[in-house]
Amino acid sequence: MRELHQRLLKLHGKPYGVYKSMQSQYFNFGDFTLKFTHIQGDPHAQPSRIMLSTKMASLGFPENLYCDLEKEIALADFLLRQFTESSDGISIVKAHCQIMQRNSLRIENGIVRILASVNLPGEGRRIEGDKASELLIGTLSDWVTRAMYWNNVDKEKCETHAQCLANRNFLLNQLAGKKLAAFVPNGAILPRESGVSEEPLQGAVPFISPPELQVHLSLPSGEPVTGMGIPCGVTVIAGGGFHGKSTLLHALEEAVYPHIPGDGRELIVIDQSATPIKTEEGRVVNGTDISPLVRELPLQGSTENFTTKNASGATSQATNLLEALELGVSTILIDEDASAVNFLIRDLRMRELINAKREPLIPLTDRIREFADSGINFIIVAGACGDYLSLADTVIAFTEYKAECLTERAKNITSGAVGATLCGCPYGPSGCPPLQLPKQPRKSNTDIFQPGLQPNSAVEKNIKIRAAAGQISIGKLRTDLRKFPTFCHLELQRGIAEILYNFIKENKNDNLKEILETLCKKLPENETNDLALPRVMELGAAFFRVTV
């Protein structure tokens, strides 16, 4: 620290740009090594970035807390949350309720690395070396010491955090053996305080499984966990408005990522490929085979290589579904309220008025059993589309936030209904051929995006990567995730942007799914941005929407 202190004092009063002489240099910082990875150009620019690194053993942490990947992720997430209060001039990314792999604080092979932002002091255009020394040597040192040493952390909370992730993953691994698509434990708190809050709703009705769907899983300790198992196949979640059905679906959507202790949803588990499919009017489509759900289009012909810069509501939802299947998704989540009606159903009267030869869209009712027979699970919230009751393997209804199993009642209702014999294939005439999904995996074909890998304007010398508000730009390339249904925090967007850039730059023309799976195993080496590691589904969705 002495060297850094003396260096900052020597810079006092010099032009602000001289700070950059310290960029990429390493300084001794007690048990840590400090590196300036980016230095701002003036006091009002984006803050500078520093990286602190050390061995976990130097901080006193027992090796059993970071001896494998699962524990590394849990401990890194816990430690990141210890920096809850930003000190003056110093900040680190705010951790949300999900436990994720991030580069803002990561542990790998016994080494911890912390990325933080620092506003280097300046008066006008001059360096304030004395204040910079006070900030880095004093404030930063105290900030790190409070959060990063074993003797200073709440050991019980730390171990609880790690155990929470271990419990969740242990439950997840039991789904396949029980032939379940998802599991919701009794006592889970599903509602949030508001649409913009991640905090559990105070006074909410705890979830209780219907007796017919109750299953017993176990934790690593052997302790049993009882709750609702959602079987594989087609599940319909019904109920009146505001009774809790969409709340359950939203909790399942977010369960693809682990949650922190106390969130209320930390033991909800679902098939890790699960992806919500919603309408996305106006989205870009780049050469997707949508023929299983959209026949030849008037004046456009075959839909086996469908491309558009402005997809319709139903076409976009069909594309989202079929692209998800290409990426290996085996559980699809659908909310009737966020869907195109003509994607979901076509009633008997409309079928009689407009026959199949004149309607290119094949509604999901006509295909869902074929999808299910091929191993795809569907969990559908339906308050008005009763046709799905005839197609469901399981029917769950919500009344005042309480779930009940109405599978047998639904079967009795639909067994004698006219719609059960005339409203869709394979149990009625639809004119659609048997389902055939693409047999050949899609190639990445990144060569079509190479013209966009250049600076956005003559003023910019380098390709800039930007991510904000669901929009990603890589030079002249653009991808829009604003309507993509899976939650997408800024760090996740930045992670997607960095990985996409590396992927497109390498220009590999190979099996797209396999490449994406490899890319989603590790975060890119980036010291200037806060990144989170996406799933294949989020990364693939971004790639499918790239346009020049």
Side-chain angles (χ1 to χ4, degrees), residues 346-405:
R346 187 179 312 118
D347 66 24
L348 177 60
R349 295 180 181 86
M350 195 56 68
R351 288 174 188 267
E352 292 179 351
L353 179 67
I354 307 295
N355 63 43
K357 293 181 180 179
R358 296 165 60 191
E359 172 53 79
L361 295 174
I362 300 171
L364 185 59
T365 48
D366 293 19
R367 289 294 198 204
I368 195 167
R369 288 311 319 176
E370 291 176 283
F371 282 126
D373 291 343
S374 66
I376 308 301
N377 307 312
F378 287 83
I379 301 176
I380 302 175
V381 165
C385 295
D387 290 353
Y388 283 94
L389 298 179
S390 303
L391 302 162
D393 299 300
T394 306
V395 177
I396 302 166
F398 271 84
T399 304
E400 296 181 349
Y401 312 107
K402 297 178 181 178
E404 54 183 328
C405 180

Side-chain angles (χ1 to χ4, degrees), residues 140-160:
L140 176 62
S141 179
D142 291 343
W143 191 59
V144 171
T145 300
R146 285 195 304 270
M148 291 299 299
Y149 282 84
W150 177 241
N151 286 338
N152 294 336
V153 303
D154 187 321
K155 298 174 179 57
E156 185 177 349
K157 284 186 177 179
C158 181
E159 292 169 351
T160 298

Side-chain angles (χ1 to χ4, degrees), residues 11 60 130 134 139 145 155 186 239 255 257 269 273 315 400 416 424 438 448 455 489 541:
L11 296 182
D130 53 348
E134 182 181 341
T139 306
T145 300
K155 298 174 179 57
N186 290 342
Y257 287 102
V269 288
S273 72
T315 303
E400 296 181 349
I448 63 174
H489 297 316

Side-chain angles (χ1 to χ4, degrees), residues 501-526:
Y501 169 66
N502 294 333
F503 173 32
I504 295 173
K505 183 175 67 172
E506 290 179 6
N507 196 23
K508 290 183 178 179
N509 185 21
D510 210 339
N511 184 308
L512 176 63
K513 179 173 174 285
E514 291 181 358
I515 292 176
L516 296 180
E517 287 173 343
T518 300
L519 291 171
C520 287
K521 290 180 179 177
K522 188 176 180 181
L523 276 168
E525 295 293 334
N526 187 302

Side-chain angles (χ1 to χ4, degrees), residues 114-225:
I114 307 165
L115 286 178
S117 298
V118 176
N119 272 312
L120 293 175
E123 179 65 36
R125 298 289 300 171
R126 297 288 173 177
I127 292 173
E128 292 185 290
D130 53 348
K131 290 185 178 180
S133 178
E134 182 181 341
L135 175 67
L136 295 171
I137 308 301
T139 306
L140 176 62
S141 179
D142 291 343
W143 191 59
V144 171
T145 300
R146 285 195 304 270
M148 291 299 299
Y149 282 84
W150 177 241
N151 286 338
N152 294 336
V153 303
D154 187 321
K155 298 174 179 57
E156 185 177 349
K157 284 186 177 179
C158 181
E159 292 169 351
T160 298
H161 203 84
Q163 192 60 52
C164 181
L165 180 59
N167 289 345
R168 180 261 186 189
N169 289 343
F170 199 78
L171 292 176
L172 179 65
N173 291 333
Q174 296 171 62
L175 290 184
K178 298 277 188 178
K179 296 184 179 179
L180 299 176
F183 171 77
V184 184
N186 290 342
I189 302 300
L190 308 185
R192 301 295 95 185
E193 277 187 342
S194 70
V196 294
S197 172
E198 295 181 329
E199 295 297 318
L201 178 65
Q202 297 298 314
V205 177
F207 180 84
I208 299 295
S209 171
E212 300 90 336
L213 297 175
Q214 188 164 281
V215 297
H216 304 283
L217 304 184
S218 63
L219 298 179
S221 64
E223 180 185 351
V225 179

